[in-house]
Amino acid sequence: MQRFSRACRLAACTLVVLSLYAPPLWAQSADTGVLGTITDTSGAIIPGASIVVTRTSTGVAQQLVSGPSGAFEARYLVPGDYVAEVTLDGFRPERRSFTLRVGQLIRLDVVLQVGDLSEAVEVVAAGQLIETQSGVTGNVVTAETIGNLPLSGRNFTSLGNLTAGVVSSGTQFRASGARGMYQQVSFDGVSATNNRGNNLFMYPSLDAVEEFKVQSTNYTAEYGGHAGANVQLQLRSGTNTFRGSIYDYYRNDALDSRNYFAPAPLAKPELDRNQFGGTLSGPIKSNRTFFMFSYEGLRETRQTAANAIVLTEAMRRGDFSAVTTPIRDPLTNLPFPGNIIPANRLDPTAVNMINTYQPLPNAPGVNNLVGVSLAEDVSNQYIGRVDHQITGRQKIFGHYLYQSRDNPTTPINTNFPVARLFDNHSLAVQHVITWSSNVLNEVRFGYMRGDLNRLSPRAGTGFSVQDDLGINGMNVGGPNGRPPEDFEVGFPTITIQGFNGFGDSTGGEAIDESQTYQFVDNLTVIKGNH
């Protein structure tokens, strides 16, 4: 038994160490790069060739040397236009121009020709290079597509529908028949979904998005952990040129037609929507350090025509003679004469709740309550990103996204508004270093937090189900449980078959602080042909 106990302790310690130092299997990746092999015209491999991969918009260069097998890899690059220059004494320099997309790992094999260094061979890639390193199926949505296609609400997720087999519903991507709950979404390689329900609640401003890729099937092992869509979004980084944009999209009800269910003389439902912001990017130090900052605000007030069926004044006195369905006495199962319930059989608690918390009809017909529901939305989003080239072999970047949102709603029964306060944070830091021609290491840290506040409007007001409504036993854990605290109180949900019910839909949800930490260390070693 003592030997078994020591073995258990050893196994537990091993698991703890592995959990601290091994990258999580569900970790996202932001691996965008180019790899290849350097050979001569006879097909012989060429080790020791100098390869410089430069991003044209920033001048940032990554210096590499082909290994013993002639192989080279430039990994964890920012999507964009690049130039790769290969040089070696006794051979003509080779210069290749190409474009990298997010999550793309392309092969660029180079054949050097014998010649003088003063001569050069330049090849410009015609079109997008084919990715032969994996069998992934998916689609890249580029900055050009994002900027040119109309998008209601400026939400990038709508463009996920451009990928075959993918359906986007705003908070979830569904791919190849898999449910949205199995999706993975990353911003710059770190998780962006709320871990309570695996939904996406942060939507970076379109002007701050470089591009994003939706992978539907056959993605590689580093994306393991979920079986659904894998979405990699790359935020825009700064370049050697200052660039900026300012926008303001405004809509109101003046140019909208009247809703069919809100005919005159009813007031026309109000719509006032203003989405505005701007983005600025550029160099802090040319060819070395760059920044991008973005702000987006939303102010919206939207009314929607609504109707409901509520109890008439006669029904509140027990007179259901207008109802054709027989009203039966629950004690005898016999119909009440004339469908009229005697006054002494009406529960005073129920009558008081109906008269206090449900409005009277204001229209004839079956749907005897007409009006509007109200939705408001106040949102502010801030994004900052900094990229820094430490040396030709070492670079670092970081981003921070903060989004605050207050979008309360008020139904046609104005006694039961719904408050929604939702703040989201996303932090990412990545450090990449090329130790040698065949050893590369990437360290990435990510933090995501979502603070959801959906308390009842009666929370903190001293409201009591027992004292204010006369309902006993509504305690936490059952009738014999503890009384609810101030933030837990709410109006119980009352359902009336065939009629509009009432109650707080958010009572007791309280505050949800969802947090995700990520630590990833990817060590790449090129050994021979592997």
Side-chain angles (χ1 to χ4, degrees), residues 329-348:
D329 189 333
L331 300 179
T332 65
N333 200 34
L334 297 175
F336 285 111
N339 267 1
I340 298 176
I341 303 174
N344 63 352
R345 298 292 301 278
L346 299 177
D347 188 309

Side-chain angles (χ1 to χ4, degrees), residues 306-310 361-362 365-371 412-413 498-501:
N307 57 61
I309 304 174
V310 295
N362 61 4
V366 177
N367 294 307
N368 55 8
L369 179 65
V370 296
I412 189 172
N413 185 347
F499 293 86
N500 179 249

Side-chain angles (χ1 to χ4, degrees), residues 197-263:
N198 203 36
N199 291 310
L200 180 67
F201 295 116
M202 294 180 286
Y203 311 103
S205 169
L206 293 181
D207 291 43
V209 176
E210 179 67 30
E211 58 189 37
F212 69 94
K213 182 176 184 178
V214 182
Q215 301 184 59
S216 54
T217 58
N218 293 342
Y219 36 80
T220 52
E222 70 238 55
Y223 304 111
H226 291 286
N230 182 278
V231 181
Q232 303 167 66
L233 181 140
Q234 182 79 39
L235 292 176
R236 190 181 297 273
S237 60
T239 66
N240 277 331
T241 304
F242 283 101
R243 295 182 180 179
S245 64
I246 299 177
Y247 57 89
D248 191 352
Y249 296 87
Y250 181 71
R251 283 184 57 196
N252 62 17
D253 53 82
L255 299 178
D256 287 356
S257 61
R258 178 177 288 275
N259 190 292
Y260 177 81
F261 297 102

Side-chain angles (χ1 to χ4, degrees), residues 70-132:
F72 72 93
E73 290 191 18
R75 306 284 288 272
Y76 306 104
L77 303 176
V78 177
D81 295 328
Y82 283 85
V83 173
E85 188 170 6
V86 183
T87 58
L88 184 65
D89 290 342
F91 293 89
R92 298 176 183 175
E94 187 91 9
R95 183 182 174 91
R96 298 286 184 92
S97 300
F98 57 94
T99 300
L100 276 178
R101 300 302 184 196
V102 62
Q104 183 185 33
L105 193 60
I106 64 171
R107 174 165 286 277
L108 193 68
D109 293 327
V110 177
V111 179
L112 294 181
Q113 302 178 28
V114 176
D116 194 273
L117 286 175
S118 61
E119 303 177 85
V121 179
E122 182 167 351
V123 178
V124 178
Q128 185 174 338
L129 293 176
I130 297 177
E131 181 177 351
T132 60

Side-chain angles (χ1 to χ4, degrees), residues 18-82:
L18 289 176
S19 66
L20 289 174
Y21 292 99
L25 294 178
W26 43 262
Q28 302 286 330
S29 176
D31 195 357
T32 300
V34 56
L35 55 83
T37 303
I38 311 298
T39 60
D40 62 16
T41 52
S42 68
I45 61 173
I46 300 180
S50 173
I51 303 106
V52 179
V53 179
T54 306
R55 188 182 178 203
T56 56
S57 62
T58 62
V60 171
Q62 183 168 342
Q63 302 169 2
L64 306 165
V65 177
S66 59
S69 61
F72 72 93
E73 290 191 18
R75 306 284 288 272
Y76 306 104
L77 303 176
V78 177
D81 295 328
Y82 283 85

Side-chain angles (χ1 to χ4, degrees), residues 489-509:
V489 300
F491 198 108
T493 301
I494 308 296
T495 302
I496 308 174
Q497 186 175 358
F499 293 86
N500 179 249
F502 52 95
D504 290 334
S505 61
T506 56
E509 286 194 9

